[in-house]
Amino acid sequence: MKHTFVPIVCICLILNGCDADTTINTNIPETSGNLPSQIQLEAPYPNPFSSTLVVKIRNHRAEFVTVVVENPVGDVVKTLFSENLPGAGTLQIVWNVTNEENKTLRAGFYFITLKTSSSVQSRSVKFEK
Amino acid sequence: MANKVVIALLIILGATSSLMSQPQYTSLYVESGYFIPSKESFRGNYDQALFIGTADIPLSFGIGIQYFVSRSSCLYLDLRIIKNLLASNEDISLTITPIVFGLYYYLPTKIINLGKFKPYSGIGVGFCRAEFNTKYLVTDESSPEPIGVAEGTQEYLGPNLKLTLGIGYQLGSTTSLGIALNYDINHTGTADEGGLGNVGGLLSTVKFTIGL
């Protein structure tokens, strides 16, 4: 199996709205045969969730990516990631269910939204306290 | 996008000349329209959908009853269903259902006489129910691989204030057609209270009224 871009970087970032409680791994190894034809927001897990939520994004090329948590009316309650991804690979975000003020959110439905210059994808998630 | 285009006019089957000259007249109306949320995040994320199901034609649906209490004013009670689908995932919807009781005031012909056209304004208060519906993929703690699909609903309630400007056109002795602009303020509570804030906006409608 041929691997594309591979170095594993595991960092806790304080970048563009991300905070130390959000763990972000970028460029996790990806076999070229598994690469999606376009950027893909995978199903967040676990869902429903009560403490942390893992969000995985698989991308096929360098691209500026924004990942936000929105409430049912579309208000952004947390920006998880807003960066340029350097190339093909997987972005993994572990979110601890806090908002921009580091307060734990109320139980209920939210959606995780991935935005790039060419697409918007959303996945609904349920937070249970 | 056709569903992004603002339909600026209402067709009202509403108050006719005969209605105007016959206080105590009761009439029913149905209306359909296009909703523009006042909140930018709502506007940016959702497209209005057909009130039941999905379609490329975005339409809300309303039904109501009005009762003339004088030559120029009537009380009304109406219910609307405004369904909105998340643009990036049509398994997610937010449906707004205001129920409003209010007063329409028709400009007397002594002030302005437009023949068969009857301009009016209105104000109403009531409450609004917003319902968030979603399908979501159920996953466990080990991977993003879905193990099922679930559906969930969340409800929000709050007060409503409605302001209306419209004009009706007499079609027959008891029917009329008109257009109107309605501004609905539906407050469902602040984020700290677990609400969604203001889910109101501008609703342009077409209305058909028939006397009983």
Side-chain angles (χ1 to χ4, degrees):
Chain A
M1 280 283 209
K2 182 184 173 185
H3 286 75
T4 55
F5 192 73
V6 205
I8 298 177
V9 184
C10 180
I11 32 180
C12 288
L13 294 171
I14 305 178
L15 274 176
N16 294 339
C18 301
D19 58 55
D21 295 324
T22 304
T23 307
I24 299 173
N25 303 330
T26 58
N27 301 322
I28 294 171
E30 187 82 59
T31 55
S32 58
N34 290 335
L35 282 175
S37 58
Q38 64 175 10
I39 193 163
Q40 182 179 320
L41 171 64
E42 298 199 335
Y45 65 95
N47 191 20
F49 64 105
S50 57
S51 54
T52 58
L53 183 73
V54 181
V55 179
K56 271 189 177 178
I57 288 143
R58 300 169 68 219
N59 65 311
H60 66 300
R61 62 180 168 87
E63 196 165 14
F64 190 87
V65 168
T66 300
V67 183
V68 294
V69 182
E70 295 174 306
N71 71 3
V73 81
D75 290 332
V76 174
V77 298
K78 179 77 170 181
T79 299
L80 299 176
F81 189 84
S82 188
E83 293 272 332
N84 195 51
L85 289 176
T90 298
L91 166 69
Q92 177 175 293
I93 303 165
V94 180
W95 175 47
N96 70 346
V97 208
T98 56
N99 63 13
E100 300 290 16
E101 289 83 41
N102 274 329
K103 292 179 181 172
T104 301
L105 298 182
R106 281 181 170 264
F109 287 99
Y110 296 89
F111 32 88
I112 309 295
T113 299
L114 162 71
K115 298 176 183 177
T116 69
S117 59
S118 58
S119 73
V120 178
Q121 299 172 39
S122 297
R123 300 275 194 181
S124 192
V125 294
K126 186 179 185 183
F127 175 44
E128 296 175 332
K129 281 190 175 178
Chain B
M1 292 286 288
N3 60 358
K4 300 273 188 185
V5 174
V6 176
I7 302 170
L9 298 178
L10 281 177
I11 300 171
I12 300 176
L13 285 177
T16 66
S17 293
S18 62
L19 293 177
M20 296 294 291
S21 61
Q22 295 181 46
Q24 316 305 313
Y25 207 105
T26 303
S27 53
L28 282 173
Y29 57 87
V30 293
E31 63 182 7
S32 192
Y34 187 82
F35 177 65
I36 306 167
S38 57
K39 183 177 271 191
E40 187 179 353
S41 59
F42 190 173
R43 237 176 12 246
N45 280 279
Y46 283 91
D47 291 332
Q48 194 187 326
L50 201 63
F51 64 95
I52 294 173
T54 62
D56 290 336
I57 303 168
L59 289 175
S60 67
F61 175 75
I63 187 165
I65 188 166
Q66 58 191 22
Y67 177 76
F68 276 79
V69 292
S70 75
R71 295 180 67 87
S72 59
S73 60
C74 68
L75 296 172
Y76 72 89
L77 177 67
D78 66 23
L79 177 147
R80 290 202 182 99
I81 301 171
I82 306 168
K83 185 176 179 181
N84 304 274
L85 293 179
L86 194 70
S88 53
N89 185 339
E90 293 194 346
D91 286 337
I92 300 173
S93 67
L94 183 62
T95 304
I96 302 168
T97 311
I99 299 174
V100 181
F101 176 74
L103 179 75
Y104 287 139
Y105 177 73
Y106 291 81
L107 285 177
T109 52
K110 287 180 181 176
I111 297 175
I112 181 169
N113 190 347
L114 299 175
K116 289 185 175 182
F117 291 95
K118 305 293 177 188
Y120 66 96
S121 61
I123 186 167
V125 294
F127 69 92
C128 171
R129 177 176 177 269
E131 181 178 286
F132 178 72
N133 282 291
T134 183
K135 287 181 183 173
Y136 60 95
L137 297 174
V138 179
T139 50
D140 62 22
E141 294 190 353
S142 62
S143 80
E145 196 63 36
I147 56 175
V149 179
E151 291 191 39
T153 298
Q154 198 161 335
E155 293 181 359
Y156 305 87
L157 288 173
N160 166 287
L161 173 66
K162 188 178 90 166
L163 306 172
T164 302
L165 283 176
I167 187 165
Y169 179 78
Q170 180 184 349
L171 293 175
S173 60
T174 59
T175 58
S176 69
L177 185 67
I179 56 172
L181 287 175
N182 306 273
Y183 192 78
D184 274 79
I185 301 168
N186 302 310
H187 189 70
T188 62
T190 64
D192 288 341
E193 298 165 343
L196 299 176
N198 182 13
V199 295
L202 187 67
L203 181 70
S204 54
T205 54
V206 170
K207 182 176 173 183
F208 172 81
T209 303
I210 185 163
L212 297 178

